[in-house]
Amino acid sequence: MAEKSGSAFDFKLFKRLITYTNPYRLTFYFVAFSAILLSVFAVLRPYLLQQIIDESLIPKNNELLLNFILLMLTVLFLEVISQFLFIYFANWLGQEVIRDIRVKLFEHMLGFKKQYYDQSAVGRLVTRAVSDIETIASIFSQGLFMIISDLLKMLVILGYMIYQSWQLTLLVLVVLPFILYATRVFQKKMKAAFEEVRTQVSNLNSFVQERITGMKIVQLFTREETEYANFKEINEKHKKGWIKTVWYNSIFFPIAEMSSSITIGLIVWFGGLKAAQGDVLTLGVVIAFIELSQMLFRPLRQIADKFNTLQMGMVAAQRVFRVLDTNSKIEDKGKMSLESVRGRISFDNVRFSYVQDEEVLKGITLDVNEGETVAIVGATGAGKSTIINLLSRFYEIDSGSISIDDKNIEEIQLASLREHIAVVLQDVFLFADTIFNNITLNNPDVSEEQVYKAAKEIGIHDFIMSLPNGYQYNVKERGVMLSSGQRQLISFLRAFVTNPEILVLDEATSSIDSHSEQLIQDATNKITEGRTSIVIAHRLATIKNADKIIVMDEGKIVEEGNHNELLEIEDGYYRNLYEVQFAAVVE
């Protein structure tokens, strides 16, 4: 894919884009046919005007004049109909194409590794999926077909002009090369300018989205003035990008207008003299040539304008295709489907690094037996959350192996693997939807009865029913209408209702009030009952009853055993950690 700004047009990219019109070939051909009709009608009007002047006005033939007027009205009516069909179906085609591209892009993004999203700005991805794709639609509605239509008009008009008078045509063509050269330079400059504009739009979207999402932090640390200054700077760059396009337009269009006026002057001077001398040129031909020259230059100016639109669409397409061409998926080569899972988990000498040569896990070997509750503790950055991310295959390990029921997870189909694992995260994400839909995630296989029953089993049904509209209560964006503890309870129910064989709780009680903690503790006891569970927690009091506790430090397992066994280790990591927390509670 071409990246060079100086290239006026990327035909390889354009060819790829046109393939998306294949399902709509009939519409594509119909729009192309409408463009041909419009080019024919464009010549008919000046021709009829010439005939009206020469055959009816000058000879004062009123009956013929009436016939010509009726014919002119018929041509205008047909031209309007053709124009309507052309514009409607060109826009329809553009919307169909961008719908298909947007669906394909979103489907592609759904399969990206978590690492891709760790390294990509959300605002830029939103720009690609929304405004960039919308800009692609203009290629069809205002760019490609409009340019084709204008080019056909110019060719037909030029052919007719030569047929009528090669001398007047030559006068018009004297000015034409100058306009063509100016148009070519204009196209190159505008392509580079629009690439800069799209970059600044992405930066602006990314900045605004991040600051709105993190507005609480901005206000809490009184960073309003700083962020305002940063926004002004980014917005200034955005403005300068657009001003550059305005600058090129302000140069090109006056040049085109001046050239058009010079051409009219030459036609009136030369054609008027010839007509006055009784030459083969008539007054009707001169008048027709004035209109024809304008019709020849007007599409040229419009082509330049439409080429701007086309260039913006091509730049947007280039950005969208760059995301589509990104190969950042977990390779789903597994052929095995898990029908029933006992829940035995094994990590065998697993090594992993987010950044090359900076290992986060350094040879982890771990066994979790069927139905066992295993707790993982350690300082921040020890690698606790990394373990559960690898278990669900959000990242690929560097070496070693991970297996469930003695089956390597790389040999299991990705969807099948994740169907049997439920994860409750510390940072609960809720969609701007009802509580019921946030629990079921719009899964039609989960009924209301199942949700109500599961909620009662883990003791949160009464809490949900106390909310306005109960399960139909809309929690708004990211669940802002609920407290952190309430959001956590919803996430517990979301996990429990899927009836997973393997449950992962990632620091699920680290940032909630004591009342919610008791509810969550009760819920934890219920949902971990009879299934393999991995619990990551800072509060050691919540994991005293775990069958096994794994203590991690700097990507390694340093201690392993139950609560009492670990407390007996003299100067042990877990014992020191427990004593520090216990002392803090006593104080």
Side-chain angles (χ1 to χ4, degrees), residues 125-144:
L125 293 177
V126 171
T127 301
R128 300 294 174 269
V130 181
S131 62
D132 276 345
I133 287 186
E134 203 61 47
T135 305
I136 292 174
S138 63
I139 291 178
F140 300 95
S141 61
Q142 302 172 41
L144 171 66

Side-chain angles (χ1 to χ4, degrees), residues 302-518:
Q302 288 176 349
I303 283 175
D305 193 32
K306 297 299 183 291
F307 203 87
N308 293 349
T309 303
L310 185 63
Q311 291 288 38
M312 285 194 74
M314 292 294 286
V315 170
Q318 188 178 61
R319 293 173 180 275
V320 170
F321 286 145
R322 195 176 297 140
V323 178
L324 280 171
D325 292 338
T326 300
N327 184 18
S328 182
K329 289 191 174 185
I330 298 289
E331 292 191 32
D332 191 7
K333 295 181 178 179
K335 304 208 186 316
M336 194 183 304
S337 179
L338 294 176
E339 299 300 330
S340 61
V341 174
R342 298 193 309 276
R344 174 176 166 76
I345 302 170
S346 296
F347 281 69
D348 183 17
N349 195 27
V350 172
R351 294 183 176 274
F352 172 76
S353 53
Y354 293 103
V355 180
Q356 192 172 3
D357 299 326
E358 295 181 19
E359 281 192 336
V360 177
L361 296 185
K362 304 170 183 177
I364 294 293
T365 297
L366 168 66
D367 290 310
V368 181
N369 296 320
E370 176 184 345
E372 195 173 49
T373 297
V374 173
I376 304 177
V377 300
T380 301
K384 306 184 299 296
S385 296
T386 301
I387 286 180
I388 63 169
N389 282 329
L390 296 180
L391 179 62
S392 299
R393 285 198 73 196
F394 288 121
Y395 299 90
E396 297 279 28
I397 61 176
D398 296 339
S399 63
S401 66
I402 303 172
S403 60
I404 294 177
D405 293 346
D406 300 321
K407 300 179 181 71
N408 192 315
I409 61 172
E410 293 184 2
E411 298 173 2
I412 302 170
Q413 294 173 6
L414 206 54
S416 178
L417 170 69
R418 292 174 180 171
E419 279 177 2
H420 296 277
I421 302 173
V423 181
V424 179
L425 299 171
Q426 175 188 0
D427 183 19
V428 179
F429 188 93
L430 297 181
F431 295 94
D433 205 337
T434 64
I435 286 180
F436 181 80
N437 288 339
N438 269 290
I439 293 167
T440 64
L441 297 178
N442 296 301
N443 185 347
D445 296 330
V446 181
S447 66
E448 288 186 11
E449 290 74 18
Q450 287 176 277
V451 173
Y452 297 159
K453 182 182 177 183
K456 289 173 182 176
E457 283 187 43
I458 65 175
I460 66 172
H461 177 74
D462 292 340
F463 142 66
I464 295 175
M465 292 306 295
S466 69
L467 297 170
N469 300 322
Y471 286 86
Q472 298 306 313
Y473 180 62
N474 194 309
V475 299
K476 305 301 180 183
E477 188 175 1
R478 297 184 66 89
V480 294
M481 303 303 290
L482 302 177
S483 69
S484 59
Q486 291 171 332
R487 290 196 295 270
Q488 199 65 263
L489 289 169
I490 298 301
S491 72
F492 265 76
L493 182 53
R494 177 194 286 170
F496 185 56
V497 80
T498 63
N499 194 28
E501 289 88 347
I502 298 172
L503 179 69
V504 177
L505 306 179
D506 185 3
E507 301 185 8
T509 61
S510 64
S511 59
I512 56 177
D513 56 82
S514 56
H515 174 68
S516 296
E517 182 177 358
Q518 186 57 52

Side-chain angles (χ1 to χ4, degrees), residues 52 55-68:
I52 287 171
E55 303 296 332
S56 59
L57 285 180
I58 293 177
K60 297 181 181 180
N61 188 334
N62 293 333
E63 185 179 347
L64 190 58
L65 176 62
L66 181 61
N67 291 336
F68 274 127

